[in-house]
């Protein structure tokens, strides 16, 4: 039984709407996953963490959620038209599938470190070529695509003629603007009729290592097509929520919608959720622009923009502190504040386990506490306002601290209220926010502490002697053992990941 009303800002209507699932109690949610041609940067991590929190909340509210997040391992082209995976394979002289495997494993590892739950289904684009060909055939049959020299293109003009109010609805761009926009023709796509047309299937040239047989040519599917095909396969022609980063709104999601209408005559998702960008130096974090920090650099403090290493949970806490629809600036000051906030919250979580009240119920502060607890859930159900609900936990923390140090008298808070606070910490702070208490995981065993002191000492000596072989070996071995060493102004510290 779901007894909380949930409001979601729907990108499609640009309004906050009461969420009503297609099937009572069940939610189908599709989130665009990573393109596995290199390691995820902190920007990607922010989006995946935001959707993890949304997923966790939906489950907490009692919904049975089918969460599908894909792996893009073909078709996502660079600006020069080269397939990202094929480029990775060419540079490293390995198979594209080896590139995909390497970075999929790395992606999973980073999601685990950040405590993001795995989706229920994680389909790969290359495992769904047949579905993509079938969808292309349907779009062709319905007259919204054309074949040109072995490639298949979606005809935006034919689509707009038949469905005047669909194309451009999500991105808010007027059709004239979309059509006037003359983007550069990508490699292998110079045969399309109109600049705003996009490829469903691309004929591969001889140098292209990834190609499959199709009715039109040996080739490969377009990037947008995979998400239409895989969401339809696992969630049906119409499902509840479709999510992704804001930068995917256009063209990726706009084209996805057009394809779903073109093939199945239906808007795929009732609610579209877009997570805003993580910024660095006032600009979107992006690998291709060189404006990025990698997660391991952040953990190890190995980047000139940060003064020391910050832990995975500090990063998660920073994510919690901003609304998913706002931009977030990554900088040393914000990270230091997040670290402080995270530690304070964890202290409160521990402290609440130790306090007890002589009064079973009816403390004078109980109504205030109950109000805060109610608001925490209301905030979360108000378009996932995590920062607002987080601030209520700090108000609770102030009360817990006051109670523990005697500033608040024993009868002010009842045992009943203490139990409710404990439950809220367990279910929301750890369950929905997905925070982990790192203080218990950095090797509290005394012997490990001693061994680590010794290793850090040997590493420092080897660095002094410019014995980089030894110091690199120590770092790599520790990384394999999931131990991160961090060099900061106050010396070297370590942490179990
Ligand atoms: P990609 O691997 O490029 O397809 O991106 C994976 C996900 O990360 C997508 O949902 C993107 O929208 C998202 N993303 C990319 N850059 C950023 C950023 N700077 N901040 C937040 N999310 C991002
Ligand atoms: Zn997608």
């Amino acid at each position: 039984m779901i007894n909380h009303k949930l409001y979601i800002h729907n990108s499609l209507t640009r309004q906050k709407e009461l969420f009503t699932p297609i099937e009572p109690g069940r939610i189908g949610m599709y989130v665009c996953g990573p393109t596995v041609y290199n390691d995820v940067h902190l920007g990607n991590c922010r989006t995946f963490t935001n959707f993890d929190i949304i997923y966790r909340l939906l489950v907490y509210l009692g919904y049975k959620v089918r969460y599908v997040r894909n792996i893009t391992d073909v078709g996502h082209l660079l600006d020069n038209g080269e397939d990202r995976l094929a480029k990775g394979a060419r540079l490293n002289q390995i198979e594209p599938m080896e590139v995909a495997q390497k970075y999929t494993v790395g992606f999973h590892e980073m999601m685990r470190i950040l405590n993001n739950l795995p989706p229920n289904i994680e389909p790969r684009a290359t495992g769904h070529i047949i579905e993509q060909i079938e969808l292309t055939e349907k779009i062709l049959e319905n007259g919204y695509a054309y074949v040109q020299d072995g490639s298949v293109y979606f005809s935006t003009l034919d689509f707009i003629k038949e469905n005047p109010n669909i194309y451009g609805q999500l991105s808010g761009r007027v059709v004239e603007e979309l059509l006037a926009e003359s983007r550069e023709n990508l490699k292998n796509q110079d045969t399309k009729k109109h600049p705003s047309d996009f490829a469903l299937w691309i004929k591969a040239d001889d140098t292209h290592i990834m190609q499959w047989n199709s009715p039109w040519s040996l080739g490969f599917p377009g990037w947008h097509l995979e998400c239409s095909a895989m969401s339809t396969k696992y969630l049906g022609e119409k499902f509840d929520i479709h999510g992704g980063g804001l930068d995917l709104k256009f063209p990726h999601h706009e084209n996805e919608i057009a394809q779903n209408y073109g093939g199945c005559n239906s808007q795929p998702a009732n609610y579209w959720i877009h997570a805003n960008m993580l910024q660095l130096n006032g600009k979107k974090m992006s690998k291709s622009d060189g404006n990025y920090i990698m997660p391991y650099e952040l953990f190890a403090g190995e980047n000139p923009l940060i003064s020391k290493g910050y832990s995975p949970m500090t990063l998660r806490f920073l994510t919690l502190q901003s609304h998913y629809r706002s931009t977030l600036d990554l900088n040393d000051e914000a990270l230091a504040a997040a670290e402080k906030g995270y530690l304070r919250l964890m202290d409160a979580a521990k402290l609440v386990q130790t306090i007890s009240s002589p009064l079973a119920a009816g403390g004078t502060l109980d109504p205030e506490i109950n109000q805060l607890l109610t608001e925490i859930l209301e905030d979360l159900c108000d378009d996932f306002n995590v920062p607002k609900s987080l601030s209520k936990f700090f108000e609770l923390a102030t009360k817990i601290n006051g109670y523990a140090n005697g500033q608040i008298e024993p009868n002010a808070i009842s045992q009943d209220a203490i139990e409710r606070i404990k439950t809220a910490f367990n279910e929301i702070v750890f369950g929905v926010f997905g925070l982990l208490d790192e203080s218990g995981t950095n090797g509290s065993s005394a012997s490990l502490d001693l061994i680590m002191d010794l290793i850090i000492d040997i590493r420092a000596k080897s660095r002094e002697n410019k014995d980089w072989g030894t110091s690199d070996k120590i770092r790599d071995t520790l990384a394999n053992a999931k131990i991160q060493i961090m060099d900061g102004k106050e010396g070297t510290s370590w942490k179990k990941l």
Side-chain angles (χ1 to χ4, degrees):
M1 202 17 212
I2 319 288
N3 45 22
H4 284 285
K5 284 188 172 169
L6 172 66
Y7 292 87
I8 298 180
H9 181 274
N10 190 350
S11 303
L12 199 60
T13 57
R14 281 167 266 284
Q15 274 173 15
K16 215 191 278 184
E17 295 172 3
L18 176 66
F19 175 72
T20 317
I22 295 168
E23 213 185 306
R26 286 178 177 266
I27 294 178
M29 175 162 92
Y30 186 93
V31 174
C32 292
T35 307
V36 283
Y37 75 115
N38 57 22
D39 285 314
V40 279
H41 59 61
L42 290 176
N44 308 129
C45 292
R46 179 188 183 207
T47 287
F48 294 125
T49 302
N50 272 326
F51 281 103
D52 179 62
I53 295 162
I54 289 175
Y55 169 53
R56 285 166 176 270
L57 179 71
L58 299 176
V59 172
Y60 172 72
L61 292 177
Y63 287 103
K64 194 161 177 353
V65 186
R66 180 181 288 172
Y67 173 22
V68 183
R69 188 184 64 207
N70 68 298
I71 295 281
T72 298
D73 54 1
V74 67
H76 193 174
L77 307 180
L78 293 160
D79 285 345
N80 69 3
E82 191 173 8
D83 188 294
R84 285 168 157 82
L85 267 290
K87 184 182 177 190
R90 183 170 54 78
L91 291 181
N92 295 299
Q93 294 187 309
I94 54 176
E95 278 290 313
M97 273 300 168
E98 284 180 88
V99 179
Q101 179 67 13
K102 176 173 178 212
Y103 294 112
T104 302
V105 169
F107 169 65
H108 287 160
E109 177 64 359
M110 191 45 62
M111 293 301 101
R112 188 191 63 75
I113 289 171
L114 294 174
N115 202 27
N116 287 336
L117 297 170
N120 304 103
I121 303 177
E122 191 172 48
R124 286 178 163 219
T126 53
H128 296 76
I129 301 292
I130 291 171
E131 287 81 354
Q132 294 177 77
I133 291 175
E134 282 170 358
L135 182 57
T136 304
E137 281 172 332
K138 275 198 204 166
I139 299 173
L140 273 167
E141 271 164 35
N142 292 341
Y144 295 123
Y146 57 92
V147 184
Q148 199 91 305
D149 195 19
S151 291
V152 186
Y153 297 104
F154 190 91
S155 170
T156 42
L157 291 184
D158 287 326
F159 182 74
I160 291 164
K161 220 186 303 155
E162 296 289 318
N163 311 273
N165 301 319
I166 305 299
Y167 202 60
Q169 190 193 356
L170 180 72
S171 58
R173 299 188 183 202
V174 283
V175 165
E176 293 70 31
E177 200 184 310
L178 285 169
L179 294 182
E181 200 177 294
S182 162
R183 262 163 281 125
E184 244 178 77
N185 278 331
L186 293 173
K187 188 182 160 207
N188 300 344
Q189 295 189 33
D190 42 13
T191 52
K192 60 185 182 182
K193 288 184 191 160
H194 194 276
S196 64
D197 293 351
F198 55 91
L200 301 174
W201 187 265
I202 303 158
K203 181 182 169 185
D205 60 29
D206 296 343
T207 59
H208 210 278
I209 19 186
M210 287 201 286
Q211 38 183 288
W212 290 263
N213 216 342
S214 80
W216 314 288
S217 62
L218 274 178
F220 58 96
W223 172 39
H224 316 305
L225 190 66
E226 63 171 283
C227 289
S228 288
M230 296 190 290
S231 63
T232 307
K233 174 160 178 149
Y234 296 109
L235 297 171
E237 287 177 7
K238 197 151 192 80
F239 53 94
D240 299 293
I241 298 174
H242 193 311
L246 195 60
D247 57 341
L248 299 186
K249 217 186 215 183
F250 185 85
H252 185 53
H253 290 159
E254 194 76 79
N255 290 351
E256 231 186 288
I257 293 174
Q259 290 166 162
N260 280 64
Y261 268 102
C264 319
N265 196 25
S266 124
Q267 159 65 247
N270 283 338
Y271 301 85
W272 284 79
I273 302 181
H274 286 99
N276 213 328
M277 298 291 104
L278 182 69
Q279 301 191 333
L280 188 66
N281 300 314
K283 280 196 319 238
K284 174 191 163 188
M285 187 174 283
S286 149
K287 217 152 186 196
S288 50
D289 295 350
N291 186 41
Y292 65 93
I293 300 186
M294 298 304 282
Y296 280 112
E297 292 177 303
L298 180 86
F299 304 152
E302 282 175 353
N303 189 293
L305 294 169
I306 47 176
S307 61
K308 65 180 194 99
Y310 293 98
S311 75
M313 286 304 117
T314 296
L315 177 64
R316 192 166 179 108
F317 191 88
L318 183 76
T319 308
L320 295 169
Q321 281 181 305
S322 66
H323 191 265
Y324 80 91
R325 287 198 294 118
S326 310
T327 52
L328 168 63
D329 273 297
L330 189 86
N331 56 57
D332 204 43
E333 213 177 301
L335 283 160
E339 185 177 60
K340 248 169 113 180
Y342 163 68
L343 293 173
R344 206 177 138 224
L345 194 66
M346 289 303 106
D347 283 347
K350 276 183 279 230
L351 194 59
V352 75
Q353 301 296 333
T354 65
I355 56 175
S356 61
S357 169
L359 196 69
T364 48
L365 283 179
D366 283 12
E368 216 179 297
I369 289 169
N370 290 342
Q371 176 65 19
L372 283 171
L373 293 171
T374 306
E375 285 172 11
I376 282 170
L377 202 55
E378 278 172 7
D379 294 338
L380 289 175
C381 291
D382 180 16
D383 193 30
F384 314 106
N385 199 332
V386 175
K388 207 164 165 201
S389 73
L390 187 63
S391 71
K392 311 273 160 70
F393 273 103
F394 282 100
E395 290 187 43
L396 288 174
T398 306
K399 298 213 184 324
I400 299 164
N401 288 334
Y403 193 76
N405 67 26
Q407 279 170 355
I408 294 177
E409 55 135 336
N411 279 340
I413 302 179
S414 72
Q415 190 59 33
D416 179 54
I418 292 173
E419 294 304 327
R420 281 161 174 272
I421 299 175
K422 272 190 208 171
T423 306
F425 267 90
N426 285 336
E427 292 182 350
I428 310 279
V429 172
F430 297 111
V432 176
F433 296 165
L435 288 171
L436 295 170
D437 186 359
E438 287 173 330
S439 64
T441 58
N442 81 335
S444 38
S445 107
S447 57
L448 185 57
D449 285 347
L450 281 175
I451 293 167
M452 283 307 299
D453 285 349
L454 180 68
I455 290 175
I456 286 171
D457 200 35
I458 295 171
R459 179 170 166 270
K461 297 247 160 56
S462 62
R463 290 180 130 204
E464 259 169 50
N465 297 331
K466 300 202 171 11
D467 176 3
W468 307 120
T470 304
S471 78
D472 286 352
K473 191 170 177 200
I474 291 174
R475 158 146 300 158
D476 294 347
T477 310
L478 290 176
N480 283 339
K482 307 273 178 285
I483 290 176
Q484 183 79 54
I485 36 180
M486 297 161 292
D487 295 314
K489 283 190 184 125
E490 279 110 54
T492 303
S493 57
W494 64 277
K495 174 174 298 289
K496 268 194 132 184
L497 293 176

